[in-house]
Amino acid sequence: MQQEEKAALLAQCQAQYAAFQAEQLKLDMSRGKPSPKQLDLTNGIIDVLSEEDYLAENGLDCRNYGCLDGLPEAKRFFAPMLGVDPEELIVCGNSSLNMMYWAMSLAMTNGVLGEKPWWKYDRVKVLCPVPGYDRHFAISEFLGMELVSVPMHENSPDMDLVEQLVREDDTIKAIWCVPMYSNPSGVVYSDEVVKRFAALQPKAKDFRIFWDNAYCVHHLTDHPPVQANLLEEAKKVGNENICYMFASTSKITHPGSGVAMLAASEENIHSLKKALSFSTIGYDKINQLRHLRFFGGKFENLTEHMKKHKDLIVPKFQIVLDTLEEGLGDLGIATWSKPQGGYFVSFNQKGYAKRIVQLCKEAGVVLTESGASFPYGIDPEDQNIRISPTYPTEEELQKAMHVFVCCAKLAALDA
Amino acid sequence: MQQEEKAALLAQCQAQYAAFQAEQLKLDMSRGKPSPKQLDLTNGIIDVLSEEDYLAENGLDCRNYGCLDGLPEAKRFFAPMLGVDPEELIVCGNSSLNMMYWAMSLAMTNGVLGEKPWWKYDRVKVLCPVPGYDRHFAISEFLGMELVSVPMHENSPDMDLVEQLVREDDTIKAIWCVPMYSNPSGVVYSDEVVKRFAALQPKAKDFRIFWDNAYCVHHLTDHPPVQANLLEEAKKVGNENICYMFASTSKITHPGSGVAMLAASEENIHSLKKALSFSTIGYDKINQLRHLRFFGGKFENLTEHMKKHKDLIVPKFQIVLDTLEEGLGDLGIATWSKPQGGYFVSFNQKGYAKRIVQLCKEAGVVLTESGASFPYGIDPEDQNIRISPTYPTEEELQKAMHVFVCCAKLAALDA
């Protein structure tokens, strides 16, 4: 670009930015939250139970204490979501994050499957595919673990590196994975990658894959990918104790009052249930019943329900992608993901992420903190921004993306 | 008692016992569970919300993520239960046990108020007033703490001993207390005792009182005792960070789908909320709304509701006390509590607890395991049995208590 051309574009962007600032916008694209319209899809769950409807199929009174690992019919209902058998599942309360925290904290205090507690080791490390989910990394850091970055490639984390690190370093006790529509890059791990995870031979016998399948039914296309199942593959190679798998209905029904689940090998589940019995007598079974009734106990009704979410979300992703393409497509200064599912668009513009987020903020558009997707909040290339299109209305989102594109150009031009 | 008289009584008891066995009873007095009739009192909560009723007073959408420490109006509503200010309260999910586990596990992994993690000490001890609540002791044991028994007296744990131990031994990091209608002995700590707890000067700066006020509104009399408030007393002596207080609606509304709460000084709450943010985005706010709507947002409606529980429970406690008095009152072989609230009658017959529980079991009456109320499950005098009268019907309970009295006599006579 010629100097003059650049100066003219800069002046144009600055004028546009000033105009945005004058509008005193208040737009939020910071978190992957469903919009109110998405939540409306599930309002029927709030009053789906009559006051006489509190018995489980086996006659258990769901109002009372007990049933540590969830209603049998809830286990049957949710098992297909993680592709496991009902006896490989614990159906929990409203937060899968809470189960991940618990499982990792438990490994720290009590170890896994009879191995010694992680805190008895001088160092405990966790592999963090980057960019990744800030709350995952935060759990491990809070519990005193060292965060080790592993780069994400197109179909997975760098598997050669993962295999090498866990084979050689017995202080590495875990890895965080979002295998489908990963947060934020939207990567779908290929079957080959799932199989390599299943076959990992870690030096640490008490190593665990924390497999957060948060977006396993959150497709944006009509013909979603079908992914190999980690636990199934791990069983095939006699390695079934290597993983804990998590999911929830947070972005299916209502995030505040959904149902979370934890799946693992029967041996892991047996051990986890024993540990769980020290921390609760049981989760909210009435709310499990609500989910069963709302979906008529049929998993295909849940997948149908997800299509209604898709119909509301797809136009928003389209706004993000179209606006980025229109505004930045020709400039060659940035790249972004075109996800087939999940909740995010991952945007990369080397050296300018912090600046763009700051400029957006000063124009009233809140994005996830730059660096949030990296261990210790440090993006070494200062390049990644996580865009969450779902919460704002289409109008708000369109406005916010215009601001975003303007800021992205401004950052590059005004450097 | 003469040998002959004794032999005759023994023969009579044996005959009676054989008759009970022939009935093939299946009665359960093992846990402090509300009966179905008690649960019926709260059925209206299941469908109290319409599907449009999901907004908090401040307009917050309770269906979505967020609001880590509970709805503001839920904090205001539940604050009187623990006698604290709303800002000293976190309103949680369905399990106060879960919050106790979390708070203690957190102290192990991350310490309290910036002090070093408990696991970094070679030894970590917890004081356990005995007899006490098995699940409390189990949490501490599971987390690797040493359990130190402290005897319960009429109005409290042995406070001289408690004061001495915490003053002298900095490996003592906590004590478990059920200050009102303690589990199982029904003791109500006197105001003087509450004040002594509030004024404790532990050698360990990171010592915490785990104050489980599980039965704070669970009275069996029309004129219940009013107890000094621990946090208030602790504030008076500049010691407000010494305690965590817990309660729940488990035995007020529905145990499986109630609301738990954690109260502490503002400084503790600030620190706990920060830690909590790593393990959840928020608890089930829709269920908090249900509780607010069911009680019309008025705490006096909750205390009125508790009178309905009382009306169902008091006759059951009367059956237990009458049957014990009638069958054992003259014999001088046993003593038992006459609680003014809570869920248990504590029965003592030195040297025979195990035998009585076993005899009952073989006659189809399940009691809490003998020894359960003691650290490591060991009752040094083999004397204490926890009787839980609430769950069975009055008819079942009457039958079970006849069996119990028969077994108590049999154990003593057949020794």
Side-chain angles (χ1 to χ4, degrees), chain A residues 40 43 63 110 142 256 279, chain B residues 40 43 63 98 110 142 256 279:
Chain A
D40 287 347
N43 279 355
R63 301 171 300 176
N110 291 71
F142 182 70
S279 75
Chain B
D40 287 346
N43 279 356
R63 301 171 300 177
N98 194 248
N110 291 71
F142 182 70
S279 76

Side-chain angles (χ1 to χ4, degrees), chain B residues 392-404:
Chain B
T393 64
E394 292 182 26
E395 294 65 35
E396 288 167 339
L397 181 66
Q398 183 59 75
K399 173 66 79 173
M401 285 310 300
H402 281 141
V403 173
F404 182 89

Side-chain angles (χ1 to χ4, degrees), chain B residues 159 162-163 175 177 189-202 207 209 211 228-243 245:
Chain B
M159 287 310 293
V162 168
E163 285 167 344
I175 184 169
C177 293
Y189 292 13
S190 70
D191 286 357
E192 187 222 335
V193 166
V194 173
K195 288 174 191 175
R196 286 176 77 176
F197 269 111
L200 277 184
Q201 293 298 331
F207 174 90
I209 302 166
W211 195 255
N229 186 278
L230 178 65
L231 184 57
E232 200 177 306
E233 296 300 328
K235 280 191 223 174
K236 286 183 197 165
V237 293
N239 209 15
E240 64 268 22
N241 290 337
I242 202 165
C243 61
M245 313 201 295

Side-chain angles (χ1 to χ4, degrees), chain A residues 320-336:
Chain A
V320 171
L321 297 175
D322 288 349
T323 314
L324 289 174
E325 186 59 39
E326 197 183 289
L328 303 173
D330 292 337
L331 301 180
I333 57 172
T335 59
W336 52 88

Side-chain angles (χ1 to χ4, degrees), chain A residues 34 40 43 51 63-65 94 98 101 105 110 119 139 142 250-251 255-257 278-279 282-284 290, chain B residues 34 40 43 49 51 63-65 94 98 101 105 110 119 139 142 250-251 255-257 278-279 282-284 290:
Chain A
D40 287 347
N43 279 355
E51 66 168 69
R63 301 171 300 176
N64 221 326
Y65 288 112
N94 76 328
N98 193 249
Y101 176 90
S105 169
N110 291 71
W119 66 256
I139 287 173
F142 182 70
S250 291
K251 294 180 181 86
S257 43
F278 292 97
S279 75
Y283 293 102
D284 185 340
R290 277 191 195 95
Chain B
D40 287 346
N43 279 356
L49 295 184
E51 66 169 68
R63 301 171 300 177
N64 221 325
Y65 287 111
N94 77 328
N98 194 248
Y101 175 89
S105 169
N110 291 71
W119 65 256
I139 288 174
F142 182 70
S250 291
K251 295 180 180 87
S257 43
F278 292 98
S279 76
Y283 292 102
D284 186 341
R290 280 192 193 94

